[in-house]
Amino acid sequence: MGEQGFGYITDMLVFSVLISTAALMLTGMAPVDPRVDSARYASSFAHSVLYLLQNTSAEQFGGFEYKLDTEFEPDLPVVGDSAKRELRYKTITQLLAEDALLNLHVDIKGAEFQVRRPNERMDEKLRIFLKSTLDRIIGGRFGYRLRARTEVADLGSARVHFESEVADLTRARTQLCTETLMLSLPVSREELAWHIEELTGIDPNEAGFEIDPILEVTLELWSR
Amino acid sequence: MAFSVGEDLFSVLTITGIVIIFVVVLCHSYHVYMERRNAYQDFNLALDIAERLVNQVLAADGGQPGVIKPSSDRLENYSKILALHGTNLRVEIRSFSGELLFAHGIKPDLFKEYFSPPVSVSLPVALFWDQSSALPCELSVQVWRG
């Protein structure tokens, strides 16, 4: 082979390498399926889910009910299903707010203090209900994590708060968005302070803590 | 440049063949890139339209955000505005069990060549039922140009 022919082949090979690099770059730059990877879509979707939870009643998702725990009050007369509470007409966010109020957690010196509450089962039942509701609304399009929490009331020796989480992060890859909804608990500041005092024996006002009866509901969506 | 009929000519033909293949691959990559980019832009347009429908066009009067009340008249007016920009719209509202509750606009013909293929976006919404209740459902918006 002549020297010039060899040079010509080398030029062509370099040219081919440049073309394949350009092709690879183009393929890499191209956006993937927007339904799966669009943070904007996920954000809009998460907003819509939170509004939906705020506007629709539990009845629309099969209804919500639980039984009051009457074991620690043996004198309470319970006939048949009279301990059952049916909350079909409350919206899902109203249920969350009620759960937060009825099932506040009390931590004393870093360990959770087990307070016996008649509505304890609501917490667990509501998590199951929320999971099935979110599975139905989101329908496998995204991985999700829904968190509901109140501000931590630090009363010195005791800390009072509420936190609940429902998630399905199976096959979740990257977090696309976080959207938050602020809800008012269905009590006044004074009533909440009185409720906390009942649980802990400490008056939050005397402890110098100003309580905000607000529940923060956060929904994260993850790509799959 | 002097070629000897034999090795050099064979090498030139081989390399020219390889270059042609690479150029075809490049053209294909560019085509795929443009297709995906257009799909992304169309998807964003469909999302804009879906958000506008939920927040303004179909928003229930004096209702909560996220609650819609379907109105053929309002959708017709909005579709006319979009049509002026060459965009076609079909709106469907389905229950989560898949039952069609409301539809507006013609279905795109899947076998017809449009300027841009139909793109759809779905958002969960609460459908205004009566003063005290709302029905959970899914708003599906299909958008195409041409």
Side-chain angles (χ1 to χ4, degrees):
Chain A
M1 197 188 297
E3 217 169 89
Q4 280 181 323
F6 190 75
Y8 180 70
I9 290 170
T10 315
D11 289 349
M12 285 297 134
L13 280 171
V14 170
F15 187 53
S16 302
V17 169
L18 286 175
I19 289 173
S20 41
T21 312
L24 279 173
M25 278 172 70
L26 271 175
T27 315
M29 272 164 63
V32 289
D33 186 356
R35 272 177 210 81
V36 176
D37 238 35
S38 165
R40 210 194 125 204
Y41 175 52
S43 171
S44 189
F45 195 92
H47 249 121
S48 305
V49 173
L50 289 173
Y51 283 145
L52 190 62
L53 297 181
Q54 202 176 15
N55 290 314
T56 46
S57 61
E59 190 188 26
Q60 304 289 352
F61 292 97
F64 176 74
E65 59 176 44
Y66 69 98
K67 267 189 174 179
L68 290 167
D69 190 355
T70 51
E71 282 169 20
F72 60 98
E73 283 185 58
D75 298 336
L76 204 70
V78 178
V79 184
D81 274 348
S82 64
K84 195 165 43 172
R85 275 194 84 200
E86 269 192 13
L87 302 167
R88 292 161 57 195
Y89 300 112
K90 292 207 172 191
T91 66
I92 295 157
T93 49
Q94 279 173 340
L95 289 177
L96 264 172
E98 190 169 321
D99 183 32
L101 199 63
L102 296 173
N103 291 303
L104 284 168
H105 300 281
V106 180
D107 292 344
I108 293 177
K109 290 175 185 165
E112 189 168 345
F113 178 65
Q114 295 296 326
V115 189
R116 298 221 55 185
R117 293 166 290 220
N119 295 285
E120 210 166 352
R121 285 184 194 143
M122 182 185 189
D123 199 38
E124 192 195 334
K125 279 263 189 176
L126 186 61
R127 257 180 277 158
I128 296 167
F129 176 73
L130 274 172
K131 173 92 172 54
S132 74
T133 301
L134 288 171
D135 283 347
R136 210 167 144 198
I137 298 173
I138 296 171
R141 272 171 278 210
F142 300 100
Y144 65 84
R145 176 161 38 211
L146 182 88
R147 273 198 190 125
R149 61 183 157 205
T150 59
E151 186 188 7
V152 178
D154 199 341
L155 310 173
S157 55
R159 283 157 59 90
V160 182
H161 65 104
F162 173 79
E163 186 151 1
S164 185
E165 185 180 306
V166 180
D168 179 8
L169 297 174
T170 337
R171 294 184 286 116
R173 287 188 292 125
T174 47
Q175 190 182 331
L176 295 171
C177 70
T178 307
E179 295 297 329
T180 304
L181 187 70
M182 304 299 257
L183 299 170
S184 283
L185 292 176
V187 285
S188 66
R189 202 176 282 235
E190 291 74 33
E191 283 170 319
L192 185 60
W194 176 80
H195 182 52
I196 289 175
E197 189 182 353
E198 199 182 39
L199 281 172
T200 60
I202 305 166
D203 182 355
N205 295 322
E206 276 177 24
F209 190 85
E210 206 167 275
I211 295 162
D212 245 344
I214 297 285
L215 180 71
E216 189 186 286
V217 182
T218 305
L219 178 64
E220 291 172 12
L221 290 184
W222 294 62
S223 68
R224 279 190 155 155
Chain B
M1 196 163 85
F3 289 116
S4 57
V5 183
E7 284 180 352
D8 281 359
L9 188 60
F10 178 73
S11 310
V12 168
L13 287 174
T14 310
I15 287 303
T16 310
I18 290 171
V19 168
I20 287 169
I21 291 168
F22 274 97
V23 168
V24 169
V25 169
L26 180 66
C27 290
H28 178 72
S29 301
Y30 183 70
H31 181 72
V32 170
Y33 168 77
M34 287 306 286
E35 219 169 51
R36 283 188 187 174
R37 211 186 68 167
N38 288 342
Y40 214 86
Q41 281 173 352
D42 290 343
F43 182 79
N44 277 335
L45 175 71
L47 185 55
D48 283 339
I49 291 170
E51 283 176 344
R52 201 179 176 89
L53 288 177
V54 174
N55 299 328
Q56 292 173 26
V57 180
L58 298 179
D61 299 324
Q64 295 269 348
V67 181
I68 61 163
K69 194 175 181 182
S71 155
S72 291
D73 292 342
R74 287 189 196 176
L75 272 173
E76 191 58 48
N77 290 337
Y78 187 56
S79 298
K80 280 178 188 164
I81 296 169
L82 289 176
L84 289 175
H85 296 93
T87 305
N88 300 300
L89 173 71
R90 177 169 168 85
V91 176
E92 283 182 6
I93 298 172
R94 286 181 186 273
S95 68
F96 282 112
S97 55
E99 187 193 347
L100 184 66
L101 303 171
F102 177 85
H104 180 87
I106 51 153
K107 275 187 180 175
D109 185 350
L110 295 174
F111 299 104
K112 202 175 161 187
E113 281 258 329
Y114 292 111
F115 184 68
S116 77
V119 176
S120 69
V121 167
S122 306
L123 289 177
V125 285
L127 185 67
F128 182 86
W129 205 243
D130 54 48
Q131 290 300 334
S132 59
S133 68
L135 197 69
C137 49
E138 196 158 89
L139 174 82
S140 174
V141 173
Q142 252 186 322
V143 170
W144 69 100
R145 280 178 286 166

